[in-house]
Amino acid sequence: MRSLFRSSILCAGLLALTSSFASGQAAPRQPGEIAWAIHYDPKTFDPAKVDEQASELVRYLTGGVLLRLNRQTQQPEPQLAQSFRISPEGTLIVFKLRAGLRFSDGAQLTSADAAWSLRRVLNPATHAVVAEEFLSPEAVVIDTPDALTVRVHLPKRIIGVEKIFDEIAIEPANRPSEGRVTSGPFAVADYKRGQFVRLIRNRNYWRRDAAGVQLPYATGVRLDILNNREQEISLFLRGEYDLIDTLPAEYFGVVAQKSSSAVHDLGASLNTEQMWFNQSPAAPLPEFEKSWFRNRSFRVAVSQSIHRADLARIAYNGHATPAFGVISPANAQWHNNGLKVPPESIADANKILAAAGFHRGGNQLYDAAGHPVKFSILTNAGNPARQKMAAMIQQDLAQIGMQVTIVALDFPALIERLMHKQDYDVCLLGVSNAEPDPSSMMNMWLSSSANHQWNPSQKTPATEWEAEIDRLMQLQASSPLPRVRKQAVDRVQQIVADQQPFVYLVYPNVLQAVSPQLRGVQSSILSPGPVWNIDSLRREQDRPLRGSL
Amino acid sequence: MNWPVTIAMRAGRTLLLILCAAAGTTLLVRFAPGFFSDSREMDAKYAPAAQDEMDAEHSQHQTVSQIAIEEARNFLAGGFGMSRQYRVPVAELIGARIPLSALLLARGIIGGWLLAICAALPVSSLRKGGVLCSLPFTVLLAIPTAAMATACILSELGGPVLVLALLVAARDFKFLRSLLEGAWRSPHLLQGRALGLSPRVLVKLHILPNVLPQLCALTTLSIVTALGALVPIEVIFTVPGVGQLAWAAVMNRDLPVLVAVSLLMACVVGFAGMLSMRAPILEAA
């Protein structure tokens, strides 16, 4: 019997040993390779067909572009183009290419390749998302007077046209290669769906550092496809990843405890977290509820009763900035510093509600017709910060007698309720602003847009203030005068603060974790964060960070 | 009833199960909230492109019958259509992942059985304290798979195989223990022990042959248990297998992938169920 026990324990021990070996996750790192995780598979490696963020990142890392937006100065810088010039009327852009440019396969890069790549993006058959930024892509004409000159003729001026060229990768003419032959710092070498994307250094990349050393420094990039934050952090702490681009606030402290020098809170991001009331006439809600949500006093009272500092402190562990307006203070150029916002005050909120015909019966608020004020806040499941905010808002609104329930749905279900059925009372979500220029927000602010969340796809603006926002947004998108644009955007911010169609809650801070071994990092709040200057990043000796998750 | 008829009936039942799985999945996914939505619709930059794609799909897949006809057509053409999420043929997606999941399942089930047998053999022979020795397995049974996997990641101990093995062991231990207990206490075993036969000989010659039909049924249970745990384990440990694909397909309402995964799972469950046929066949023999 003793031998039976002995062999049983031996077997169990062997099993535990073999099982623990099966836990390795990251693919082995090549020497000099920089590695980090992305959360889902890129849908395409064709730079012209990019239509989501993972593909956008691969395009950024592999695609050579005529101009690159410097993520720190926010100014366009010549890349494959040695210089560029925009005509005074804004309808002609002339790019002069660098001499001796080559693709990663050694083929020469000339103006014919640049023109072909631009025409491919403009071709409706390509379905390039970036083409829409040319406003009338079919009317854009490209010509190449010589092997180093590309001319882009626009039908009319486009404000901030330079930044569009940051998104157009130059490929070899008539040889689209899905990122395998590139003019950027890296090229796609290997892709295992659901596992990783491996990029290798482009030996023919045009750029050299001040000492004349060929860039990029890194021999390659490995993007692991990993949708598990705990594992990502664990692998980062073990030194298998060099960075975490967007570190959730709830994990910031955990990583900081293990390696305080690796985490960085860069302050408010351009992104906003906000809630809005469903004002769509098509919404399947009782008429009295719709009338609350259309009532400015009701929205302002709600805004005044929310304690934003508490939201930032508790829901984001202090890694967020209270928000009162459309444009984050991080966007210094466009933020309205003189914005007047309704002050946080329960007493003022009660007064406004009373003036609007609402009355209290014990702890419950009633409207003039005697309906108790009850509604639900819809948000997405799987976002702890949002769910905490919703719970805190529930408590805040209880102080002014509003009864709130929280509904958390997975994203597809939420989108259906929000975008297709308009079957919700209040929604709490975030908006990611990848670009600081307000023109990128047109889709959200124009009343005719499907992304005009509180009342989408309006044939004509439902209210005067929405009509004014439409006019101002069109003005800022078309005026060549910076002062006029700034005035228009400031006014939009003030209208939104007055009307509260969006009740802004917080600007989540930009949280990044960067391995101390990664050199050359110039952090930026703009996408793609710490890797925006990927060609200048290099790894020092391989040494894991101390501790584990 | 002779055994060829039994086999034919079981095969028919398996086929019915597979058809029901396909039909059930189609209905559930088609009517799931958010079937006609795309997360890019919330991204002001990519919303128009996403909307165009959704409109095109909506016009093609408005009714269940349209979907069913297309699925049948794809199936007859030797594939499962294109994945909505990855825009690649579903057969290609699943084909690349089956070996990984199969290996994980095989290692987990074998490990689980090893653990369960190694624990059940000595525990079943104990006269006292058997309940106490079973306690770790009872506790394991109460821990959700996802919690076990998360604990493994946080402690950096063990991996997907260990979690799967522990789960299978926890489920199988109770049955194995009672099976073996019955066998140990049978009169011929008592006599063999009184005659001084070694435990190894007793197990090999007297216990295993007697419990073999029940073990076949238990194998079916192990496969079904392991299949059920495949999704959370692969998702949490980021194993790029069929379970992880199924999860991503659910989150993205990727109907062609889900139907294919359901068919695959139904096939495995159906054929695993046929394993338990050994019991009546052996009894008849």
Side-chain angles (χ1 to χ4, degrees):
Chain A
M1 195 53 62
R2 205 174 292 159
S3 69
L4 202 62
F5 270 107
R6 265 207 305 269
S7 47
S8 300
I9 288 164
L10 191 69
C11 283
L14 273 173
L15 171 76
L17 203 64
T18 52
S19 303
S20 55
F21 277 123
S23 64
Q25 294 303 322
R29 188 199 283 270
Q30 310 276 345
E33 189 177 62
I34 298 173
W36 71 95
I38 54 176
H39 299 134
Y40 53 91
D41 286 89
K43 283 191 176 171
T44 180
F45 292 127
D46 186 337
K49 293 182 177 173
V50 161
D51 62 359
E52 41 74 40
Q53 288 172 355
S55 306
E56 196 174 294
L57 175 66
V58 175
R59 180 183 65 192
Y60 187 92
L61 300 173
T62 58
V65 291
L66 295 171
L67 306 176
R68 179 65 87 206
L69 188 76
N70 182 312
R71 266 52 177 181
Q72 286 199 316
T73 63
Q74 297 183 15
Q75 294 302 313
E77 292 176 347
Q79 294 266 305
L80 298 176
Q82 190 170 36
S83 63
F84 72 101
R85 182 175 58 79
I86 303 177
S87 67
E89 63 281 9
T91 54
L92 173 67
I93 311 164
V94 183
F95 295 100
K96 201 81 184 166
L97 299 184
R98 292 172 195 276
L101 291 172
R102 289 189 180 278
F103 286 104
S104 56
D105 65 349
Q108 264 199 335
L109 189 159
T110 65
S111 58
D113 300 299
W116 181 85
S117 304
L118 292 171
R119 286 189 193 115
R120 183 164 180 250
V121 162
L122 294 166
N123 185 347
T126 309
H127 299 293
V129 171
V130 69
E132 297 304 315
E133 295 183 42
F134 284 99
L135 304 179
S136 314
E138 67 288 345
V140 178
V141 176
I142 316 284
D143 66 15
T144 54
D146 61 58
L148 293 180
T149 309
V150 183
R151 293 194 304 201
V152 181
H153 303 266
L154 303 172
K156 60 179 179 179
R157 181 191 295 275
I158 300 170
I159 300 301
V161 69
E162 308 94 311
K163 73 179 192 308
I164 305 176
F165 296 95
D166 180 276
E167 298 179 64
I168 302 175
I170 305 304
E171 301 177 89
N174 302 310
R175 287 193 295 139
S177 65
E178 302 243 325
R180 303 249 167 199
V181 179
T182 71
S183 51
F186 297 96
V188 176
D190 193 10
Y191 169 49
K192 291 253 185 298
R193 191 169 286 112
Q195 295 181 52
F196 62 84
V197 182
R198 182 161 261 143
L199 312 178
I200 49 161
R201 182 172 187 257
N202 172 6
R203 293 184 183 281
N204 298 311
Y205 185 53
W206 63 273
R207 201 166 168 213
R208 289 174 186 274
D209 68 6
V213 176
Q214 167 93 51
L215 297 180
Y217 294 124
T219 57
V221 168
R222 196 190 72 232
L223 303 170
D224 279 357
I225 294 144
L226 182 70
N227 195 6
N228 182 323
R229 284 293 189 178
E230 283 86 5
Q231 216 169 7
E232 185 182 2
I233 290 167
S234 181
L235 289 165
F236 173 76
L237 292 172
R238 270 166 38 190
E240 294 194 38
Y241 289 159
D242 296 299
L243 58 101
I244 301 173
D245 179 13
T246 46
L247 187 64
E250 62 267 29
Y251 293 108
F252 188 88
V254 179
V255 185
Q257 258 185 354
K258 307 286 182 191
S259 176
S260 57
S261 61
V263 287
H264 308 279
D265 182 340
L266 304 183
S269 65
L270 301 182
N271 303 339
T272 53
E273 291 289 322
Q274 66 242 47
M275 58 184 250
W276 66 91
F277 296 93
N278 185 354
Q279 298 185 48
S280 169
L285 303 177
E287 225 19 76
F288 62 86
E289 252 186 63
K290 288 186 191 172
S291 70
W292 303 340
F293 300 157
R294 286 189 203 122
N295 186 333
R296 177 188 167 272
S297 300
F298 183 88
R299 298 193 300 266
V300 169
V302 167
S303 176
Q304 286 188 301
S305 62
I306 294 171
H307 297 102
R308 290 162 174 82
D310 289 347
L311 300 183
R313 186 171 53 83
I314 295 167
Y316 286 85
N317 299 330
H319 299 294
T321 308
F324 298 94
V326 187
I327 294 179
S328 159
N331 190 351
Q333 189 185 347
W334 294 102
H335 176 71
N336 181 352
N337 291 316
L339 196 65
K340 293 180 185 70
V341 294
E344 278 180 23
S345 163
I346 297 292
D348 285 359
N350 283 327
K351 272 186 210 161
I352 288 176
L353 286 169
F358 290 88
H359 62 278
R360 293 286 283 264
N363 289 331
Q364 177 65 53
L365 184 73
Y366 295 89
D367 67 8
H371 297 109
V373 178
K374 294 179 183 176
F375 54 83
S376 61
I377 296 180
L378 180 67
T379 189
N380 63 312
N383 186 320
R386 272 185 203 143
Q387 280 167 26
K388 275 187 207 167
M389 278 202 295
M392 292 172 72
I393 291 167
Q394 187 182 36
Q395 288 176 9
D396 286 341
L397 297 189
Q399 291 184 53
I400 54 170
M402 294 182 184
Q403 262 191 55
V404 173
T405 50
I406 299 164
V407 180
L409 298 177
D410 75 340
F411 230 85
L414 180 136
I415 290 169
E416 184 178 276
R417 293 267 294 265
L418 203 64
M419 307 287 290
H420 302 180
K421 296 183 174 171
Q422 276 106 42
D423 184 10
Y424 69 98
D425 296 332
V426 180
C427 184
L428 193 165
L429 273 183
V431 169
S432 295
N433 293 311
E435 291 166 24
D437 195 291
S439 296
S440 64
M441 300 178 183
M442 292 291 276
N443 261 357
M444 193 168 77
W445 290 109
L446 294 184
S447 58
S448 56
S449 164
N451 286 80
H452 187 73
Q453 303 294 358
W454 69 86
N455 187 1
S457 307
Q458 297 174 38
K459 288 198 175 88
T460 52
T463 58
E464 278 178 26
W465 55 269
E466 281 173 284
E468 194 182 353
I469 289 178
D470 282 359
R471 188 184 61 76
L472 291 165
M473 287 306 286
Q474 297 286 10
L475 176 66
Q476 72 78 31
S478 56
S479 172
L481 302 171
R483 187 179 50 80
V484 173
R485 293 191 70 205
K486 173 71 173 141
Q487 278 176 352
V489 175
D490 279 356
R491 179 68 193 134
V492 168
Q493 290 176 72
Q494 191 56 59
I495 294 170
V496 174
D498 292 342
Q499 297 294 334
Q500 298 284 325
F502 284 140
V503 178
Y504 285 94
L505 304 170
V506 294
Y507 308 110
N509 287 4
V510 178
L511 306 178
Q512 295 171 347
V514 179
S515 162
Q517 282 120 276
L518 196 63
R519 305 291 179 188
V521 176
Q522 296 175 15
S523 288
S524 166
I525 61 167
L526 299 183
S527 175
V531 296
W532 74 269
N533 59 334
I534 185 70
D535 56 3
S536 303
L537 302 187
R538 77 163 94 206
R539 269 182 64 81
E540 290 294 295
Q541 78 281 12
D542 292 335
R543 180 169 50 85
L545 300 177
R546 64 195 152 86
S548 61
L549 185 63
Chain B
M1 203 182 292
N2 57 8
W3 66 267
V5 176
T6 313
I7 289 181
M9 281 185 66
R10 298 259 175 147
R13 208 181 298 168
T14 304
L15 193 66
L16 190 66
L17 172 75
I18 291 168
L19 285 174
C20 287
T25 307
T26 307
L27 283 173
L28 278 175
V29 179
R30 170 60 188 83
F31 292 107
F35 179 69
F36 286 117
S37 65
D38 186 322
S39 58
R40 291 173 302 156
E41 286 180 76
M42 295 300 294
D43 188 328
K45 186 172 177 183
Y46 296 124
Q51 195 54 54
D52 289 347
E53 279 179 34
M54 296 313 300
D55 288 346
E57 189 170 351
H58 198 279
S59 62
Q60 285 172 4
H61 292 146
Q62 197 148 22
T63 64
V64 176
S65 59
Q66 281 175 321
I67 295 171
I69 289 168
E70 192 175 318
E71 272 175 21
R73 196 183 296 150
N74 289 332
F75 192 71
L76 291 173
F80 296 99
M82 294 287 279
S83 158
R84 278 174 92 186
Q85 184 191 358
Y86 295 106
R87 301 174 196 159
V88 292
V90 175
E92 188 188 309
L93 266 181
I94 292 187
R97 288 166 181 258
I98 284 177
L100 277 169
S101 294
L103 189 66
L104 174 62
L105 281 174
R107 290 167 77 179
I109 291 171
I110 292 169
W113 271 74
L114 263 177
L115 262 180
I117 291 172
C118 290
L121 268 174
V123 171
S124 62
S125 65
L126 292 176
R127 289 198 185 144
K128 283 183 184 173
V131 174
L132 200 64
C133 290
S134 311
L135 197 63
F137 289 95
T138 313
V139 172
L140 272 179
L141 208 54
I143 302 175
T145 314
M148 225 190 293
T150 307
C152 272
I153 286 183
L154 294 179
S155 63
E156 293 193 353
L157 286 172
V161 177
L162 181 67
V163 174
L164 200 56
L166 289 175
L167 185 79
V168 171
R171 291 274 151 95
D172 289 354
F173 172 78
K174 199 172 79 176
F175 298 102
L176 277 174
R177 191 189 138 204
S178 59
L179 264 178
L180 294 172
E181 254 175 10
W184 275 118
R185 284 163 197 173
S186 61
H188 69 288
L189 251 284
L190 283 174
Q191 192 184 358
R193 285 159 75 180
L195 287 171
L197 290 177
S198 73
R200 198 172 297 167
V201 173
L202 287 174
V203 169
K204 195 176 165 189
L205 297 180
H206 297 282
I207 297 180
L208 280 181
N210 284 338
V211 299
L212 198 60
Q214 289 92 324
L215 289 184
C216 286
L218 200 54
T219 309
T220 304
L221 182 69
S222 301
I223 293 171
V224 174
T225 303
L227 273 181
L230 198 63
V231 172
I233 287 177
E234 286 194 351
V235 168
I236 292 171
F237 285 106
T238 327
V239 179
V242 177
Q244 193 198 50
L245 179 69
W247 176 254
V250 169
M251 298 312 285
N252 292 285
R253 312 291 195 263
D254 193 342
L255 181 64
V257 171
L258 278 170
V259 169
V261 172
S262 300
L263 284 176
L264 183 70
M265 295 285 184
C267 285
V268 177
V269 171
F271 289 114
M274 288 172 82
L275 273 181
S276 54
M277 279 171 60
R278 271 193 68 80
I281 293 168
L282 285 179
E283 278 161 20

